[in-house]
C-alpha cells in the first residue's frame, strides 16, 4: 500500500502534515526506533553531499538535512507502511532544499546559485570525451543544465557529482535502477541537443528510454 509517492519538489503527494502531531520517539516500539536510526545512518551521508552540491555551504547543507530528518522522524511510523519509503524521503529532502535556497537567496537574485559544474562536465566527458573537451563556455553550459528536468539533474548529480553507481543512485532516489539509467540517458541527449552536438549514452544502453514529453518528466 502506497501512502505517499514521489513527485517533483513542487508538488509531492502525502508530504508531512503540519496539522498532525507526530508520535514522540519515546513512544515508538524498539523496532521502529532501530529502523529509523538505521535509515538515518544509511542515508544522511549521501543527503549531506547532495545538499552541499545544491547549496554550496556546509552549514546550509546541514540545516537542510537536519530539517529533512526532523520531518522524516515525525512521519516515520506512517512511512513504515509505504511501498516507496525511500522515494518519499527523497521528496522531503528536495522540499527542504527548496526552502533553504529560498532563505539564502538575496532579493535581487532571480535564480538559486548554480550547482557545481564539475558533475556535469564529468557526465559529458564520460559519455564521449573527445567531443566535450572543447566545451568551455560555462555560462552556456549552466543554461543548458538548468533546462534539464529535475529528476534528470538529480540522477546526474548522484551519478557523477557523488560518484554513485546507477544502483546506488536509484536506492537514494527510491526508484528502479532502470529508471535512473533512463534519466541519465535523457540528460545526455538533452544536453547534447542544447549544446548543438550529439552523443550516445553508455548509461542508457541497457535500458531503452521512454518517449520524452517536451524534454521533461513533469518538473
Amino acid at each position: 500500500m502506497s501512502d505517499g509517492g514521489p513527485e517533483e519538489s513542487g508538488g509531492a503527494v502525502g508530504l508531512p502534515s503540519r496539522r498532525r502531531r507526530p508520535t514522540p520517539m519515546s513512544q515508538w516500539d524498539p523496532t521502529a526506533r532501530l529502523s529509523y536510526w538505521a535509515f538515518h545512518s544509511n542515508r544522511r551521508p549521501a543527503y549531506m553531499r547532495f545538499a552541499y552540491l545544491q547549496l554550496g555551504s556546509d552549514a546550509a547543507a546541514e540545516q537542510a538535512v537536519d530539517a529533512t530528518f526532523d520531518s522524516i522522524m515525525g512521519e516515520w511510523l506512517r512511512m513504515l507502511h509505504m511501498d516507496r519509503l525511500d522515494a518519499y524521503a527523497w521528496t522531503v529532502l528536495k522540499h527542504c532544499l527548496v526552502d533553504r535556497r529560498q532563505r539564502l537567496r538575496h532579493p535581487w537574485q532571480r535564480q538559486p546559485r548554480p550547482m557545481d559544474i564539475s558533475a556535469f562536465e564529468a557526465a559529458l566527458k564520460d559519455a564521449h570525451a573527445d567531443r566535450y573537451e572543447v566545451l568551455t563556455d560555462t555560462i552556456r553550459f549552466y543554461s543548458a543544465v538548468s533546462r534539464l528536468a529535475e529528476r534528470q539533474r538529480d540522477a546526474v548529480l548522484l551519478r557523477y557529482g557523488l560518484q554513485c553507481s546507477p544502483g546506488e543512485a536509484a536506492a537514494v532516489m527510491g526508484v528502479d535502477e532502470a529508471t535512473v539509467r533512463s534519466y541519465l540517458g535523457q540528460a545526455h541527449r538533452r544536453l547534447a541537443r542544447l549544446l548543438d552536438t550529439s552523443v550516445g549514452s553508455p548509461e542508457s544502453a541497457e535500458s531503452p528510454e521512454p518517449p520524452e514529453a517536451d524534454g521533461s518528466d513533469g518538473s
Side-chain angles (χ1 to χ4, degrees), residues 126 151-152 155-156 159-160 164-170 173 175-189 201-210:
D126 184 72
R151 290 176 183 175
Q152 294 170 16
V156 169
R159 176 73 177 94
Y160 298 100
C164 293
S165 69
E168 290 167 341
M173 293 176 70
V175 298
D176 296 333
E177 181 175 339
T179 301
V180 167
R181 291 183 181 276
S182 178
Y183 290 158
L184 292 169
Q186 292 168 16
H188 286 162
R189 285 184 284 276
S201 168
E203 295 291 352
S204 61
E206 301 174 20
S207 176
E209 174 194 355

Side-chain angles (χ1 to χ4, degrees), residues 106-123:
H106 295 295
W108 60 85
Q109 288 181 318
R110 288 187 172 184
Q111 299 292 336
R113 60 183 299 173
M115 293 174 287
D116 184 359
I117 194 172
S118 63
F120 298 98
E121 289 174 336

Side-chain angles (χ1 to χ4, degrees), residues 54-102:
Q54 296 279 354
L55 302 173
S57 160
D58 286 330
E62 186 166 11
Q63 289 168 350
V65 173
D66 284 348
T68 298
F69 280 105
D70 283 347
S71 293
I72 290 173
M73 182 186 296
E75 294 292 309
W76 188 251
L77 297 183
R78 185 169 73 96
M79 290 173 65
L80 289 174
H81 298 284
M82 295 180 182
D83 288 337
R84 304 179 69 188
L85 183 152
D86 278 295
Y88 180 90
W90 182 253
T91 302
V92 174
L93 172 66
K94 297 301 296 297
H95 273 263
C96 289
L97 290 173
V98 169
D99 180 68
R100 183 53 49 184
R101 279 199 297 265
Q102 291 174 342

Side-chain angles (χ1 to χ4, degrees), residues 149 152 185-187 189-190 193 209-217:
Q152 294 170 16
Q186 292 168 16
R189 285 184 284 276
R190 179 94 170 128
R193 289 196 298 271
E209 174 194 355
E212 288 185 75
D214 193 26
S216 171
D217 65 353

Side-chain angles (χ1 to χ4, degrees), residues 116-174:
D116 184 359
I117 194 172
S118 63
F120 298 98
E121 289 174 336
L124 291 176
K125 288 180 180 179
D126 184 72
H128 211 306
D130 61 338
R131 295 193 182 187
Y132 287 101
E133 289 175 347
V134 298
L135 294 176
T136 59
D137 187 343
T138 302
I139 295 177
R140 181 165 168 258
F141 196 73
Y142 274 140
S143 177
V145 167
S146 71
R147 293 169 65 183
L148 289 176
E150 181 177 357
R151 290 176 183 175
Q152 294 170 16
R153 293 196 307 270
D154 290 351
V156 169
L157 267 180
L158 288 167
R159 176 73 177 94
Y160 298 100
L162 304 187
Q163 301 299 310
C164 293
S165 69
E168 290 167 341
V172 172
M173 293 176 70

